[in-house]
Amino acid sequence: MLRILFVCTGNTCRSPMAEGLLRKLAKERGLALEVRSAGVSAISGMSMSRHAAAILRDEGITDTIQSSQLTPETVAWADLVLTLTSGHKRHLLQYFPEAVAKTHTLKEFVYNEDSVNGDIRELDSLYADAELRLALGGEPDPADMQRIIEIRQRIPSFDITDPFGGTREDYELTAAEIRTALYSLLDKLETLRHQ
């Protein structure tokens, strides 16, 4: 069974919506997935925001999802780590460079342009190498840092909009963005399952 971890900031809006929606959509398609979520700056045990909870209820999702802090154990548990923004991904790779091969933003993971996907893989490797050098007391390679800048300038944004503190409509728009990406994710997982 594939284990998927969604990561955002406080684990009260985007990642719990993604968790609940994916669990429901996967069940409807007959895909066996285990899904969790966490936050890079979460306080464990917090409730979902009221708008996020209302959106899930409207979808018939009654899961009680409480926030949890991203931990080494959570990252190790996951087969696939999907962040909601590139900032979350960079944070995760800074602290867990060993997870580089299984960490993506949700949108980039379902994106289907080979040249961009190649750039993303190179960028992830450069980030992980830079973080490893820093962790070992060294300095990142200046040529690698220049290459990171070049690649970042040509990659489209893969961030899911943050509705925190917004209106119900803001949350609806974010949920629609997440839902669209999850449909593509499920299509990709079904294709991989049949290969």
Side-chain angles (χ1 to χ4, degrees):
M1 180 178 298
L2 185 67
R3 295 181 305 244
I4 297 177
L5 175 66
F6 289 105
V7 177
C8 72
T9 307
N11 193 214
T12 59
C13 302
R14 290 170 288 183
S15 56
M17 284 195 292
E19 176 186 350
L21 288 168
L22 181 59
R23 198 177 286 127
K24 176 190 179 198
L25 295 171
K27 186 176 181 180
E28 290 173 357
R29 289 205 195 183
L31 278 173
L33 300 177
E34 196 173 336
V35 187
R36 294 183 188 172
S37 62
V40 297
S41 299
I43 299 170
S44 293
M46 300 288 290
S47 297
M48 265 189 289
S49 72
R50 65 186 174 93
H51 292 315
I55 286 169
L56 291 182
R57 273 194 310 277
D58 290 350
E59 293 274 346
I61 300 166
T62 57
D63 303 355
T64 301
I65 302 172
Q66 293 190 322
S67 64
S68 63
Q69 176 66 37
L70 185 67
T71 64
E73 294 78 21
T74 312
V75 173
W77 166 86
D79 298 312
L80 179 61
V81 180
L82 298 173
T83 67
L84 281 290
T85 70
S86 55
H88 298 132
K89 179 180 167 183
R90 282 192 304 275
H91 177 95
L92 197 137
L93 294 178
Q94 178 181 1
Y95 292 98
F96 308 101
E98 71 282 1
V100 65
K102 65 180 181 179
T103 302
H104 314 270
T105 70
L106 171 59
K107 282 185 174 180
E108 78 185 14
F109 186 73
V110 300
Y111 195 75
N112 281 327
E113 190 173 313
D114 289 339
S115 63
V116 173
N117 290 334
D119 278 346
I120 291 166
R121 283 190 297 277
E122 182 181 355
L123 187 61
D124 291 348
S125 178
L126 290 167
Y127 275 134
D129 184 57
E131 292 303 332
L132 187 58
R133 286 175 183 249
L134 287 170
L136 296 173
E139 291 292 323
D141 183 299
D144 287 353
M145 298 311 291
Q146 183 59 42
R147 182 73 179 145
I148 286 171
I149 292 167
E150 291 168 13
I151 294 171
R152 285 184 61 191
Q153 288 176 340
R154 65 177 181 248
I155 292 179
S157 173
F158 291 109
D159 292 355
I160 300 274
T161 307
D162 187 0
F164 183 75
T167 65
R168 170 68 188 254
E169 184 180 36
D170 295 329
Y171 278 79
E172 292 284 358
L173 291 170
T174 297
E177 211 178 333
I178 291 169
R179 196 177 296 106
T180 299
L182 293 179
Y183 288 142
S184 296
L185 172 63
L186 289 167
D187 291 344
K188 184 172 185 170
L189 294 177
E190 284 182 330
T191 301
L192 294 173
R193 182 174 69 165
H194 295 305
Q195 289 180 349

